[in-house]
Amino acid sequence: MKRLIFLLTVCAFTFSITVAQNVRPVKPLPTERQLEWSKMEFYLFVHFGPNTFTDLEWGKGTEHEEVFNPSNLDCRQWCRIAKAAGAKGIIITAKHHDGFCLWPSKYSKHTVAQSKWKNGKGDVLQELRDACNEYGLKMGVYLSPWDRNHPAYGTDLYNDVFVNMMKEIVEKYGPFFEFWWDGANGEGPNGKKQVYDFPRFEKLMRTIAPNTVVFSDIGPDIRWVGNENGIAGKTNWDFLDTAGFTRGAGGPPQEVLNSGNENGKNWIPAECDVSIRPGWFYHQQEDSLVKSPEKLFQLYLKSVGRGSSFLLNVPPDRTGQINEHDSTALVGFKKLRDESFSTPVAEKDFSLSMAQRSYTANIGSVQMINCVLLREPIQLGQRVKSFSVELLNKGKVVYEMEGTTIGNKRILTFPKTEADGVRIIIKSARAPAVLSKFAAYLIDEKLLEKD
Ligand code: FUL
């Protein structure tokens, strides 16, 4: 019955075209690999390594390899939980700042091979690769350029080490959907800061992994969102000007990373990274501080719902498995998304061949709604600068709200209102605007977006 009502509602939709114009792509445009990445939306981050066992966040690099000894590592358990949470992939810290490699690298003596775990025969990246294949998840890697252990760090030779490690993991454990270069950069053992050869690193990645998006503060493919709270700007452009900026301390101001550059030259969308716990690594004393399903839903609205992606860190505990506190929160978060978004009150995909200045959706009968979802077809470029949403009831505007950018996805929530129609008016745009999707929902009131 619910399905029948839904179908009738959808069929009752009509769309008025006030001004129709042919649509041409407007630059900058996403590459194929960036478009693929934009479909990922929600995926997990896994911080795991010596810090898990020493209770540190930034290992010093002097930790004995023996500290790394998970009692019952199970990457299949990570994948089962990722699937149950509706995440589409997992990015693992192959090497964090302490330099410890979760795979038996030929280019370091600070790896799983020197640990006692599985008598030095273990390989976390291989186990995760196999589990991701089995569960149909995409795999990504975080490889910290900053290395507090490697003897070559702080010299030119370290650039060769980093290149060799990238090649090694791409060849052995790829393909990766994303490769993460952290911006943190400290002193080397010789007191010098590393001068990274990023142009060489970028060229290498394009050659050995052309379909992999590369993340760093300033791209080249994906940018940091400017905070570690998982929150994108309400105005969020997929563009960034990178000229004159470097990774780390020399990056653009955090507000710019948060909102992008409206007239930016490069397509470099934001990714929202945040941990489910206060720290990035597992600490037992934080078990009671795991974010609730409601809090995670808020972050979803402020990341995916603002045209960005949601990279949620879920750190395994000392057994090598995701702790029950975290898995319970993740399953609860998935339930909230399903309850909210699986049965739209109204929904419509638009033709992309015409640009419109306003879209009027007749719901057919009066319905209660408190959430609207809009999408732009980003393969044609990001266009909308500002818009308003009017809720209509018997021809009258009963509620109105304003928005700025839309991008890949924009989710707006508002107090529940009875409406028999919705009008979206494009107020300003970089080029004739086109929407690809509209949907309206009635979600639990306690889930409405809070500032
Ligand atoms: C930061 C790091 O310093 C943190 O330890 C963590 O890995 C986070 C995702 O990025 O820059």
Side-chain angles (χ1 to χ4, degrees):
M1 188 59 189
K2 221 171 182 187
R3 176 168 287 249
L4 183 64
I5 292 172
F6 165 66
L7 283 175
L8 288 173
T9 308
V10 170
C11 294
F13 259 81
T14 60
F15 290 89
S16 71
I17 299 175
T18 49
V19 176
Q21 300 179 49
N22 285 325
V23 176
R24 267 185 234 105
V26 55
K27 284 181 182 171
L29 293 169
T31 57
E32 246 339 285
R33 66 178 159 260
Q34 287 171 317
L35 274 179
E36 274 307 302
W37 169 85
S38 70
K39 296 178 196 154
M40 295 292 291
E41 291 200 351
F42 169 53
Y43 39 99
L44 300 188
F45 216 174
V46 166
H47 275 64
F48 189 52
N51 295 339
T52 312
F53 303 88
T54 54
D55 247 343
L56 293 176
E57 276 292 306
W58 277 10
K60 296 187 177 57
T62 49
E63 295 78 16
H64 200 285
E65 292 81 28
E66 283 181 10
V67 303
F68 182 80
N69 201 7
S71 55
N72 197 10
L73 180 96
D74 186 358
C75 294
R76 298 176 72 242
Q77 187 248 14
W78 306 357
C79 289
R80 272 198 303 279
I81 291 168
K83 281 299 251 195
K88 298 202 177 115
I90 299 182
I91 300 180
I92 185 166
T93 52
K95 177 182 80 131
H96 202 250
H97 309 327
D98 58 24
F100 185 82
C101 301
L102 292 182
W103 79 103
S105 177
K106 280 199 286 196
Y107 306 101
S108 167
K109 293 196 169 55
H110 192 50
T111 80
V112 280
Q114 285 76 39
S115 77
K116 280 200 171 152
W117 176 59
K118 297 197 170 176
N119 296 319
K121 300 272 179 289
D123 184 342
V124 184
L125 294 197
Q126 189 61 57
E127 292 198 24
L128 183 58
R129 173 78 272 166
D130 293 343
C132 282
N133 289 350
E134 182 182 341
Y135 286 89
L137 288 164
K138 293 200 178 172
M139 180 171 165
V141 279
Y142 163 117
L143 193 73
S144 171
W146 185 25
D147 190 317
R148 301 178 95 181
N149 172 272
H150 206 284
Y153 188 80
T155 72
D156 275 352
L157 223 63
Y158 178 76
N159 284 324
D160 295 340
V161 171
F162 198 69
V163 159
N164 285 332
M165 284 184 174
M166 285 197 285
K167 275 194 201 151
E168 192 179 36
I169 57 179
V170 166
E171 276 163 17
K172 271 178 99 173
Y173 314 107
F176 300 129
F177 78 96
E178 182 168 332
F179 210 100
W180 233 81
W181 292 334
D182 199 314
N185 183 12
E187 305 276 323
N190 57 7
K192 278 191 204 153
K193 277 206 172 179
Q194 179 69 33
V195 182
Y196 300 107
D197 192 349
F198 275 113
R200 180 177 169 203
F201 302 165
E202 284 187 27
K203 219 169 131 205
L204 174 81
M205 283 305 297
R206 292 297 185 243
T207 317
I208 62 173
N211 300 324
T212 302
V213 287
V214 176
F215 166 97
S216 84
D217 299 334
I218 53 170
D221 297 304
I222 311 296
R223 73 173 192 267
W224 184 45
V225 77
N227 63 64
E228 291 184 339
N229 309 323
I231 300 178
K234 280 187 183 165
T235 298
N236 181 18
W237 291 103
D238 289 331
F239 317 138
L240 190 71
D241 283 324
T242 54
F245 293 114
T246 56
R247 294 172 173 91
Q254 297 194 347
E255 321 78 80
V256 171
L257 292 170
N258 198 236
S259 295
N261 295 114
E262 180 177 325
N263 299 307
K265 254 182 100 175
N266 314 292
W267 185 277
I268 308 182
E271 174 182 81
C272 294
D273 62 317
V274 63
S275 185
I276 197 165
R277 292 161 170 261
W280 290 99
F281 285 87
Y282 177 83
H283 309 290
Q284 193 179 11
Q285 69 273 23
E286 293 180 352
D287 279 354
S288 59
L289 300 174
V290 170
K291 291 180 176 60
S292 65
E294 289 76 17
K295 173 74 188 162
L296 295 174
F297 189 88
Q298 283 295 310
L299 293 178
Y300 178 84
L301 292 179
K302 291 173 184 181
S303 55
V304 176
R306 295 181 180 177
S308 183
S309 70
F310 186 21
L311 170 56
L312 178 64
N313 179 62
V314 183
D317 63 21
R318 291 181 184 180
T319 65
Q321 297 190 25
I322 292 174
N323 195 267
E324 211 182 313
H325 290 86
D326 309 60
S327 56
T328 306
L330 282 171
V331 170
F333 169 44
K334 171 70 160 57
K335 190 162 172 265
L336 294 182
R337 272 152 43 232
D338 287 348
E339 284 166 4
S340 302
F341 300 127
S342 55
T343 318
V345 174
E347 186 176 38
K348 176 77 181 173
D349 291 327
F350 303 121
S351 144
L352 306 185
S353 57
M354 287 293 173
Q356 302 181 192
R357 284 245 294 276
S358 90
Y359 295 74
T360 304
N362 294 320
I363 296 177
S365 60
V366 175
Q367 302 274 344
M368 195 72 90
I369 60 172
N370 60 6
C371 179
V372 162
L373 179 150
L374 305 172
R375 298 189 75 172
E376 278 185 271
I378 55 171
Q379 67 274 23
L380 300 173
Q382 190 184 1
R383 298 156 179 257
V384 176
K385 287 188 192 187
S386 63
F387 64 96
S388 64
V389 176
E390 295 176 345
L391 305 187
L392 309 171
N393 195 338
K394 304 198 175 66
K396 282 204 190 108
V397 177
V398 287
Y399 189 81
E400 191 182 346
M401 65 189 299
E402 305 281 321
T404 53
T405 52
I406 295 177
N408 189 42
K409 196 172 267 191
R410 186 77 178 93
I411 304 174
L412 300 149
T413 67
F414 42 88
K416 69 176 180 218
T417 306
E418 288 192 329
D420 58 11
V422 179
R423 185 159 56 215
I424 299 128
I425 300 170
I426 309 297
K427 295 196 154 170
S428 58
R430 292 173 61 242
V434 55
L435 298 185
S436 53
K437 185 174 177 90
F438 164 88
Y441 306 91
L442 178 63
I443 67 175
D444 190 327
E445 289 215 288
K446 71 172 187 292
L447 299 177
L448 298 186
E449 186 174 326
K450 295 171 193 73
D451 277 322

